[in-house]
Amino acid sequence: MSGEKEIKVGLLGLGTVGTGVAKLIEGHQEDLIKQTGNRITIQKILVQDKDKKREISIDKQLVTDDPWEVLKDSEIDVIIEVMGNIHPTYEYLMFALEKGKHVVTANKDLMALHGAELLAMASEHHCDLYYEASVAGGIPIIRALVEGFASDRITKVVGIVNGTTNYILSKMSEEGLPFDEVLVKAQELGYAEADPTSDVEGYDAARKMAILSNLAFHMDVNVHDVEVKGITKVTEEDIRFGKQLGYEIKLLGIAKQNDNLLEVSIQPTMVNKHHPLAKVSGVYNAIYVYGEAVGETMFYGPGAGQLPTATAVVSDLVTVIKQMNLGVNGRGVVAPYRPKQLKSDDLITSRYFIRLRVLDQIGVLAKITQHMAEHMISLQEILQLPDTEEQKAQLILITHETSKAQLNKFLALMEKLEIIDQISSVYPVEEGEIA
Amino acid sequence: MSGEKEIKVGLLGLGTVGTGVAKLIEGHQEDLIKQTGNRITIQKILVQDKDKKREISIDKQLVTDDPWEVLKDSEIDVIIEVMGNIHPTYEYLMFALEKGKHVVTANKDLMALHGAELLAMASEHHCDLYYEASVAGGIPIIRALVEGFASDRITKVVGIVNGTTNYILSKMSEEGLPFDEVLVKAQELGYAEADPTSDVEGYDAARKMAILSNLAFHMDVNVHDVEVKGITKVTEEDIRFGKQLGYEIKLLGIAKQNDNLLEVSIQPTMVNKHHPLAKVSGVYNAIYVYGEAVGETMFYGPGAGQLPTATAVVSDLVTVIKQMNLGVNGRGVVAPYRPKQLKSDDLITSRYFIRLRVLDQIGVLAKITQHMAEHMISLQEILQLPDTEEQKAQLILITHETSKAQLNKFLALMEKLEIIDQISSVYPVEEGEIA
């Protein structure tokens, strides 16, 4: 093969994913030529440390620690951004787009926060900006939402979109270990970062849910619209009691639209053990998409990892190059066209799992259930268990569908009751439509 | 909304899917305008019986029983083909493409048999030809293969791609009923057609596997390359004995590529009960895609049905219209670029489930296992069970990975042995990479 027009790529970042991208471009070159008609060449690579020892051999000439050497290189057609962070990455990409370079990014933080501005800049300069790798690693979920379901109205997106927390929760559940201990293990194995905040507090997953919601519901959803609760407070007891009632705790992203009103959250959730999401373990991701017409669909695959993520990046690159060949870059984006209206708490409904520590007295149960009835909360299941402390008992309530507003009123009241020693935990419950 | 350029569609067929398409175009019109910038109008509809009572109200003026009224209508931009069959559908679509009309089709029979000619004609006339709906109904699997995994090398595609047989096998397994009885039920419920041959003999699934293999492996695979075995010979005993060993029988499509050598088959398969495919029930489809870089991914959703299938059709229509607006129709298709080389039987390997009826004599087991060893087939598991006939026994062998060639030699020998009363059944075994 020779004589193909060369496409020159500038790579911002040569960490795990960047290295994967370089491997794929090199290793799958002949296939990529068949797909696009072009040979792809990495023209320059921005790194932090030019002398760092690398997993792959890279021509020293290509490597620079000066971003402008990449961004201002007029021969570069496409910038692949895998350096992460918001700043100065945002400024770099805005610059690149303004100069007419197409961008492929794996940066969910950036897309969740500044996606709209970046896409507007891309559109203005007839540039492509693709970001399949930013959500759910190797799963082509963005393409599914944007193209596959273009004709449908999505009503719900539910999924596991963070592999680190899923790994931690899986381990906690399988081995009965506390959060802190599993976190340390996960860090040793490289499944969790040295500073795990973004993962374990749910921020990473929240950004992904913002991106998915934006595309699924055509609303300008950003990360601030997502209710976020991480997994740091999930206890061994919650997991154990959940299991007794047939649930596994998963960090679940839920985005629902009814009558153009939206709710988006990421929170630890009691998932029916028969629901396939309960069985997604380790670093895998799984996303259910419900459409008015299509019904229930599910997408499953590796949520992270060098080569899976690189697959998404380089597939985006293939799309960009095909569109370069047709001269139609930057024309395909449908900007959010529905006004964003978030549901108030009285419209957000769920079943809930409530764990209370109560005084072990006659009439406690009657009192609590009476209060629930007064707040229009009906019970699906109740379980009383001995507590480790004497004269206390564990009480687990699983409610029928109720509004968050009702739930909060009920919980506020419970706080004040003397017979309640502690509200130990509250989780939404996801039974799944296939149980 | 007004003033948008109108896109005129000709609909060939107004059966289940055609009606769904009409419903979606009507019901989601405002969304479709937002997606494409165009109003979509159904200009003419080809039907068999103009006076037939319809589920939806259709302007009588639009309906015709003369195909040429649709095909020769110069105002029609896009033909949506949901009439099925090979002839005269093939001729109609070739005519339409030659006249510069884009085509969206749900016709797997046609695409599996004549996809190459149709795509060549489309390409020659700068027309689009999309067929997402032809495989796995509402699951956007074709987009995933063509775009999502464009940068990867697919090694394996495994899945349940026929809802009718899956429904029948699920029912047989759940209720312990024989094939014939369940088939009648399925026909009554509309899950199986009056002439069920195409589904139950595996032909429908074989066509879908041909289409998927073509796209996954970039080889000119057609339906004749697929080894096909239907479910008509699956017995209650097979299901029962399978269960005892931890398997469910599913009609599985398997396409595997190693070193550019391909095998494609559709056959009833013993699937490990912990494999998610074993749990896909009813009319749902699920397809695993394995790539060198991406690893394991899975796509799940409704494999048929009016609105799910219509979603795929109308999403293709959206793509066609977007490309019309950019003037780039018919340019995106990557024709198969790898020479098709099918594996010989000594390269096709699997584990196998073999059920034999043997004479209940001392030394039978030793003799059979000795023959297996001579044929280099090693056993993973063996189960001896009483037979309904006296002095006979049921013997179930589960082999380790072995070649089809070895297996066939062994089976030919078993046929001749006097101690073997009958080779009752042979199934490949799929354990799954997540068990």
Side-chain angles (χ1 to χ4, degrees), chain A residues 27-28 31 34-35 143 147-148 150-151 153 218 293-294 296-298 300-302 307 311 315 326 331 337-338, chain B residues 27-28 31 35 143 147-148 150-151 153 218 292-294 296-298 300-302 307 311 315 326 331 337-338:
Chain A
H28 290 187
D31 277 87
K34 297 287 190 184
Q35 298 271 340
R143 279 185 170 74
E147 298 173 29
S151 65
R153 274 199 215 106
H218 306 291
V294 76
E296 174 177 276
T297 63
M298 197 262 264
Y300 169 90
L307 289 176
T311 302
S315 291
L326 296 173
R331 317 288 170 94
Y337 55 80
R338 282 216 189 85
Chain B
H28 290 184
D31 277 87
Q35 298 272 341
R143 280 185 170 73
E147 297 173 29
S151 65
R153 274 199 215 107
H218 307 291
E292 274 181 12
V294 78
E296 175 178 273
T297 63
M298 198 261 264
Y300 170 90
L307 289 176
T311 302
S315 291
L326 296 172
R331 319 286 172 98
Y337 56 79
R338 280 214 189 87

Side-chain angles (χ1 to χ4, degrees), chain B residues 238 241 245 353-361 363-369 372 379 381-387 392-398 410 414 419-425:
Chain B
D238 290 332
F241 292 133
L245 288 163
F353 171 108
I354 304 166
R355 184 159 73 87
L356 308 168
R357 194 165 57 189
V358 299
L359 304 185
D360 196 6
Q361 295 172 349
V364 167
L365 208 58
K367 205 158 199 178
I368 291 172
T369 50
M372 294 188 86
L379 270 180
E381 208 164 342
I382 189 157
L383 181 67
Q384 185 168 341
L385 293 158
D387 192 63
K392 302 267 167 71
Q394 290 277 343
L395 207 61
I396 294 166
L397 313 171
I398 296 186
F410 169 73
M414 290 296 104
I419 51 165
I420 308 270
D421 186 55
Q422 192 186 53
I423 298 174
S424 305
S425 48

Side-chain angles (χ1 to χ4, degrees), chain B residues 207-221:
Chain B
R207 287 169 202 137
K208 291 166 180 168
M209 288 308 295
I211 293 172
L212 291 179
S213 302
N214 193 308
L215 298 170
F217 306 113
H218 307 291
M219 294 180 193
D220 183 21
V221 182

Side-chain angles (χ1 to χ4, degrees), chain B residues 45-192:
Chain B
I45 306 175
L46 174 67
V47 297
Q48 279 186 305
D49 176 1
K50 289 208 289 186
D51 301 318
K52 188 175 159 185
K53 195 133 176 69
R54 305 277 168 189
E55 186 190 334
I56 49 172
S57 73
I58 294 277
D59 181 353
K60 284 238 160 195
Q61 301 281 354
L62 304 186
V63 172
T64 173
D65 53 13
D66 175 7
W68 305 106
E69 253 194 69
V70 187
L71 297 166
K72 290 185 173 170
D73 186 326
S74 61
E75 289 188 357
I76 288 177
D77 305 290
V78 186
I79 293 287
I80 292 181
E81 186 273 301
V82 284
M83 58 187 278
N85 291 325
I86 309 265
H87 300 286
T89 319
Y90 172 74
E91 288 73 19
Y92 292 174
L93 296 191
M94 288 297 265
F95 180 90
L97 291 166
E98 210 184 338
K99 294 287 174 222
K101 296 192 196 312
H102 311 296
V103 170
V104 174
T105 174
N107 193 327
K108 75 220 105 187
D109 306 17
L110 191 55
M111 289 308 296
L113 209 59
H114 296 296
E117 298 105 287
L118 286 161
L119 285 163
M121 179 65 94
S123 180
E124 191 187 330
H125 294 273
H126 294 316
C127 286
D128 279 336
L129 169 59
Y130 284 99
Y131 50 101
E132 180 70 80
S134 69
V135 183
I139 310 173
I141 184 67
I142 290 183
R143 280 185 170 73
L145 290 176
V146 172
E147 297 173 29
F149 300 135
S151 65
D152 204 359
R153 274 199 215 107
I154 307 296
T155 52
K156 189 171 166 186
V157 178
V158 182
I160 293 170
V161 293
N162 179 277
T164 303
T165 48
N166 197 49
Y167 173 84
I168 292 172
L169 290 173
S170 300
K171 278 281 160 199
M172 286 175 71
S173 171
E174 286 159 20
E175 300 178 11
L177 295 173
F179 171 77
D180 293 335
E181 208 172 301
V182 176
L183 174 61
V184 171
K185 273 198 183 182
Q187 285 171 320
E188 283 167 12
L189 290 166
Y191 293 152

